[in-house]
Amino acid sequence: MTVRVGTPEVIRPDLDTFGFSEWRRTATVGAVLGGSVLSSVVRGGLRPSKRKRAAAEGMVDGFETLGPMFVKLGQLIASSPGAFPRELADACLRCLDDVPPFPAADARAIIEADLGKPISELFREFDDEPLSAASIAQVHACVLADGRPAVVKVQRPEIARRMIVDLRAAMRLARALEKRSENARVANAQAVVRDLYEATVAELNFLIEADNQSRAREHLTAFGDNTNVAVPEVYWDYCAPRVLCMERMRGMPLDRFDDIRAAHPEPELLIRRLVKAWMESVAVHGLFHGDVHAGNLWLLDDGRVAMLDFGIVGRMENEWREFVRALFFASSIDNDFRPVARALRKLDLVSDDSGDDATIGRQLAVALGPVLSGSLDKLDLGVVSARLLEFGKRRGASGPQQLVMMGKQLGYFERYAVALAPGWKLGRDLYLFRNIFPAEVAAKAAENGVTLPVD
């Protein structure tokens, strides 16, 4: 029997420390990126229509040359296309692909060092050929000593030190760029690096990821349904800061659309079940998966859909959860945005002289109602965030960031829904809110003669 440890401590190296290693890395980064962009532009020709695309491709060439930290930066840009030039966001899609693996001998050495036993004692079988390799870690199939099939995620050698040095170099470059480039100031280059830093320091301790994953798995069972959605069990006896071991699941990524449609009789229901569980994690539990690209969402061989890789999560504080619940209650149940206005007041996003709740509610209904009630391909939480912030003079330190992270994930769900559930309207789907507003959803469904799916 495995037992979860207490919530691991997040070690936070100083982002502003800058010594010889950082100076040397900054020079290398500048030279590599500058050289890659210039070379690509020269190869692409001087026509303006091609110059931007060539510069973007050259930038990504530089990211790949510089290694995992910059690949991670490319992934962040690829997942936030509205915040960056389209050419750069499109080019950065390359960064979502697997990266070359590191030697199995290194993986074995890290596992043995962190778990304190030889591989032969820990596992009945261990596959030296990794199943996948990403910027921070790679995954190996194994069989535990008691016969359970599992996978073990192993951190790349020396990756923590390298990534922190790279982040410090990237912050110095971001400051320089903001002084010289209007585009860099608009994109808030320093904030991008700080966001990457926050995600990285958590990702570098796999015990934090294991804790996130275990909590998410527990949350799935909170209402006695969601039986068709899975999160792998963490095997805590085989976990350490650089090693994460979990139940092995077999299936295929959710973006293999033709295969998904052939394998599942109701692909729309598949997406609805997944989004329902995810929405509950946002609005009820506060801990939600913050990186739902297709590599982290699978249709399993047994027909369930799985959420994998909890290295990046969002944490929605209670007042922001109240806001999210009010927002979706208005869109799905009663079209009354006055509670949304009251939630915004609690968050200091509405000034005292902005009008009463009814006035602000009407303004919100006009601004947000059509966005929330449309089909998912029109649900842009980036637009929602921007319109909300027009109502406020001050930003909460964490709230808008989490709202934007939530919006990014809905952007991923949009891609799957357009292919597998065209025309589906998230904001109007009572099924998604069955556990969030149980009484009201039951009454509304009965009133409209709607039969909700049974898990």
Side-chain angles (χ1 to χ4, degrees):
M1 178 178 179
T2 57
V3 180
R4 185 167 76 203
V5 300
T7 302
E9 179 184 358
V10 178
I11 299 172
R12 303 177 62 81
D14 185 4
L15 185 57
D16 294 316
T17 295
F18 210 80
F20 176 73
S21 295
E22 285 76 21
W23 275 113
R24 183 172 61 184
R25 186 59 170 164
T26 301
T28 300
V29 169
V32 169
L33 292 181
S36 296
V37 170
L38 180 60
S39 175
S40 184
V41 169
V42 170
R43 290 195 310 269
L46 298 178
R47 289 173 55 188
S49 60
K50 293 185 176 181
R51 197 176 302 155
K52 287 185 179 180
R53 184 183 297 266
E57 293 292 343
M59 182 71 73
V60 178
D61 290 342
F63 288 170
E64 292 178 339
T65 300
L66 290 166
M69 183 71 255
F70 288 87
V71 171
K72 201 76 179 171
L73 176 60
Q75 292 170 352
L76 186 151
I77 293 171
S79 65
S80 311
F84 300 93
R86 176 180 295 276
E87 294 84 1
L88 181 58
D90 288 346
C92 282
L93 290 172
R94 273 195 280 150
C95 296
L96 297 176
D97 297 333
D98 283 356
V99 300
F102 58 90
D106 291 341
R108 285 173 170 265
I110 290 169
I111 293 169
E112 292 180 343
D114 273 27
L115 298 183
K117 292 181 180 179
I119 292 288
S120 59
E121 290 185 23
L122 290 165
F123 305 113
R124 183 181 296 181
E125 297 175 16
F126 181 86
D127 191 348
D128 281 337
E129 185 71 25
L131 294 171
S132 63
S135 57
I136 288 181
Q138 65 190 32
V139 176
H140 290 262
C142 61
V143 178
L144 304 186
D146 61 9
R148 285 176 293 176
V151 294
V152 59
K153 181 176 178 178
V154 189
Q155 195 168 114
R156 288 182 174 271
E158 296 296 313
I159 191 66
R161 181 188 62 79
R162 290 170 55 198
M163 291 183 86
I164 293 302
V165 168
D166 278 356
L167 281 163
R168 290 166 176 163
M171 178 56 78
R172 183 61 62 98
L173 288 170
R175 287 172 180 156
L177 283 171
E178 286 192 2
K179 290 179 181 178
R180 294 169 175 80
S181 167
E182 178 64 22
N183 287 338
R185 285 192 293 274
V186 170
N188 202 348
Q190 290 188 63
V192 171
V193 176
R194 289 197 180 278
D195 286 349
L196 195 56
Y197 168 81
E198 294 296 337
T200 298
V201 294
E203 275 192 279
L204 287 172
N205 184 346
F206 286 176
L207 292 176
I208 295 173
E209 180 177 342
D211 186 66
N212 292 337
Q213 185 167 317
S214 293
R215 293 179 190 279
R217 180 178 165 87
E218 291 171 3
H219 293 161
L220 272 180
T221 66
F223 299 102
D225 54 5
N226 295 321
T227 55
N228 287 291
V229 182
V231 170
E233 179 183 358
V234 171
Y235 297 141
W236 280 95
D237 291 343
Y238 299 83
C239 293
R242 296 182 296 170
V243 179
L244 172 55
C245 188
M246 70 191 80
E247 171 187 7
R248 183 171 187 181
M249 293 187 158
R250 300 176 185 272
M252 58 182 161
L254 206 60
D255 64 351
R256 287 170 50 180
F257 300 128
D258 290 340
D259 293 336
I260 295 289
R261 282 189 286 264
H264 198 280
E266 298 179 275
E268 179 177 301
L269 181 57
L270 181 75
I271 297 298
R272 293 171 72 197
R273 286 170 171 165
L274 178 62
V275 176
K276 171 182 174 292
W278 185 84
M279 286 296 298
E280 289 168 7
S281 70
V282 172
V284 178
H285 307 299
L287 175 76
F288 62 94
H289 199 303
D291 193 21
V292 295
H293 66 74
N296 292 337
L297 300 178
W298 280 22
L299 173 62
L300 301 181
D301 292 347
D302 63 11
R304 294 179 298 163
V305 63
M307 289 186 277
L308 311 174
D309 193 345
F310 285 79
I312 299 176
V313 298
R315 298 181 187 277
M316 196 75 76
E317 299 300 326
N318 187 56
E319 286 187 337
W320 278 96
R321 272 181 270 164
E322 288 183 16
F323 161 73
V324 170
R325 289 194 294 268
L327 194 62
F328 281 104
F329 193 94
S331 72
S332 64
I333 304 296
D334 64 2
N335 202 37
D336 182 359
F337 281 80
R338 288 175 297 178
V340 183
R342 289 193 287 272
L344 288 175
R345 287 190 193 279
K346 288 185 180 180
L347 292 163
D348 280 339
L349 287 173
V350 175
S351 60
D352 291 337
D353 59 356
S354 297
D356 59 17
D357 291 342
T359 300
I360 297 170
R362 286 193 295 271
Q363 294 170 349
L364 287 167
V366 170
L368 301 180
V371 180
L372 292 167
S373 62
S375 60
L376 190 56
D377 59 356
K378 295 181 175 61
L379 179 57
D380 185 343
L381 261 288
V383 173
V384 173
S385 300
R387 292 182 182 179
L388 285 171
L389 293 173
E390 292 173 3
F391 287 86
K393 293 182 177 179
R394 299 185 299 277
R395 282 189 171 197
S398 61
Q401 294 172 2
Q402 297 307 309
L403 191 68
V404 170
M405 179 180 278
M406 173 184 165
K408 288 177 184 177
Q409 308 323 304
L410 286 169
Y412 281 122
F413 288 130
E414 169 197 330
R415 181 186 175 205
Y416 314 139
V418 167
L420 300 174
W424 173 53
K425 293 179 170 57
L426 180 149
R428 296 289 190 186
D429 189 351
L430 294 174
Y431 169 66
L432 305 185
F433 309 105
R434 184 171 67 189
N435 293 329
I436 302 174
F437 317 120
E440 294 84 356
V441 164
K444 186 86 171 180
E447 176 186 337
N448 294 339
V450 174
T451 301
L452 302 181
V454 176
D455 284 323

